[in-house]
Amino acid sequence: MNSAYAENLHLRLGATQAVDDVSFAVDQGEIFGIIGPDGAGKTTLFRILTTLLLADSGRATVDGLDVVADYRAIRSRVGYMPGRFSLYQDLTVEENLSFFAAVFNTTISENYDLIKDIYGQIEPFKHRRAGALSGGMKQKLALSCALIHRPSVLFLDEPTTGVDPVSRAELWQMLGKLRTEGITILVSTPYMDEAQLCDRIALMQNGRFLQVATPDEIVKAFNGRLWSVSAGRMSALLRDLRAHPAVASCHAFGDSHHVTFKDPHADGTQLESYLAGLGHQEVRITTSEPSIEDCFMALTLSGGGQ
């Protein structure tokens, strides 16, 4: 049985096709990532799966239960951590956690073993109001509240947005431990580097899934050679690279620009002469291994979709 399943989901919100023919299946105990920029449709999809929105068409199940017919049962089985901190700011850490435990007819002590690695880090501040917590501490409290009833499926909507790098790393370590408890985790993120921390990922743009596979499979499917180009004037370099007739794609990537050619067999010789003729100095052109971000950009430009 799939922990989450969707078949041909569609949902239009006003003039926007927020979810456009999305189909996928998530295995039990899997960390499944939905990777895409703001506005891709990640949050809308999560709201459909957690019974907060009704799709226009298609069907979906969570834990084998239909999201429309069995919405009450699903709400007792899932944990949902929305992207925006939504706990009670005027309640203390302990009061928030006790409230959510009571909603699901349980107690903190009953399920403390599940959340102790997470909650234990903020328990010394249990009498502090939630609104006075740091970003990383709010993240840990929200995750504890989403887990206090021991859900079978956990939905995390952009849980690392706006938190420091240390808290991001800690959260992913926690997710790995939760998976060993048999909890299936669906996590959305705009950060392409987090894709490698998932078992499988879906690349999402404009409401559609561009590709669903393991991170390694997506990288191996990259078509063509990728070149890394840098020079003294990086902003002017980006403009001039995009103007070259042989360049198929070019985007900024850290301290260089990643380039593909329309001819997959082309090399950097012609490009180096072209850039030198435009006055660029300290030009460096090397081949590069593609990343998830490169694959996402390539799929976006090619109009790829499931």
Side-chain angles (χ1 to χ4, degrees):
M1 180 182 70
N2 298 126
S3 289
Y5 173 82
E7 181 180 353
N8 305 124
L9 285 179
H10 293 81
L11 177 62
R12 178 176 289 276
L13 297 176
T16 302
Q17 189 67 46
V19 177
D20 188 5
D21 197 27
V22 167
S23 299
F24 68 103
V26 179
D27 296 330
Q28 186 175 3
E30 188 174 24
I31 298 181
F32 186 86
I34 301 177
I35 318 295
D38 291 344
K42 306 184 299 294
T43 296
T44 303
L45 178 61
F46 273 15
R47 288 177 177 171
I48 292 172
L49 295 172
T50 54
T51 77
L52 300 177
L53 283 175
L54 288 173
D56 295 328
S57 61
R59 61 182 296 265
T61 64
V62 175
D63 227 12
L65 300 170
D66 186 88
V67 296
V68 178
D70 305 312
Y71 72 94
R72 290 185 184 273
I74 287 176
R75 290 179 182 181
S76 68
R77 296 191 185 198
V78 304
Y80 178 42
M81 182 176 161
R84 181 175 297 178
F85 184 71
S86 58
L87 302 184
Y88 295 99
Q89 305 267 4
D90 290 336
L91 295 183
T92 67
V93 168
E94 186 176 46
E95 287 169 343
N96 267 288
L97 191 58
S98 296
F99 172 79
F100 280 92
V103 166
F104 290 100
N105 197 30
T106 187
T107 63
I108 296 176
S109 59
E110 185 174 352
N111 292 316
Y112 187 80
D113 63 305
L114 179 64
I115 66 167
K116 63 180 180 180
D117 289 342
I118 306 164
Y119 184 62
Q121 299 181 45
I122 58 173
E123 196 168 13
F125 311 96
K126 64 183 180 181
H127 298 304
R128 182 177 296 182
R129 290 188 178 184
L133 298 175
S134 67
M137 293 172 70
K138 285 181 177 178
Q139 174 202 64
K140 294 178 178 67
L141 176 57
L143 184 55
S144 297
C145 291
L147 288 167
I148 193 58
H149 60 297
R150 198 174 288 272
S152 55
V153 185
L154 180 63
F155 291 86
L156 304 177
D157 190 9
E158 299 194 359
T160 58
T161 298
V163 298
D164 60 272
V166 172
S167 295
R168 283 180 64 188
E170 288 178 346
L171 178 118
W172 281 100
Q173 290 176 353
M174 295 172 195
L175 298 188
K177 292 180 180 179
L178 291 174
R179 181 174 55 179
T180 66
E181 298 284 343
I183 297 175
T184 303
I185 300 169
L186 284 81
V187 56
S188 71
T189 177
Y191 301 125
M192 300 288 170
D193 61 311
E194 294 184 344
Q196 292 289 347
L197 303 172
C198 303
D199 298 311
R200 285 190 305 136
I201 61 172
L203 300 180
M204 191 174 193
Q205 174 73 309
N206 297 328
R208 293 182 62 84
F209 278 3
L210 305 176
Q211 192 172 7
V212 180
T214 69
D216 287 344
E217 288 170 343
I218 288 177
V219 169
K220 289 177 181 177
F222 185 84
N223 186 26
R225 298 175 71 185
L226 184 69
W227 298 84
S228 176
V229 184
S230 62
R233 298 178 295 125
M234 294 298 288
S235 58
L237 177 66
L238 183 65
R239 180 195 65 229
D240 291 338
L241 286 170
R242 288 175 173 172
H244 194 289
V247 169
S249 68
C250 177
H251 65 275
F253 192 93
D255 58 358
S256 67
H257 299 318
H258 279 190
V259 173
T260 61
F261 293 113
K262 295 175 183 177
D263 179 0
H265 303 293
D267 60 29
T269 304
Q270 182 182 9
L271 188 61
E272 189 170 5
S273 300
Y274 163 77
L275 293 173
L278 292 174
H280 288 281
Q281 298 179 353
E282 302 175 7
V283 175
R284 178 177 171 81
I285 303 175
T286 59
T287 57
S288 180
E289 292 297 319
S291 66
I292 293 293
E293 182 176 344
D294 294 309
C295 297
F296 180 85
M297 295 297 295
L299 286 166
T300 301
L301 291 171
S302 67
Q306 57 178 2

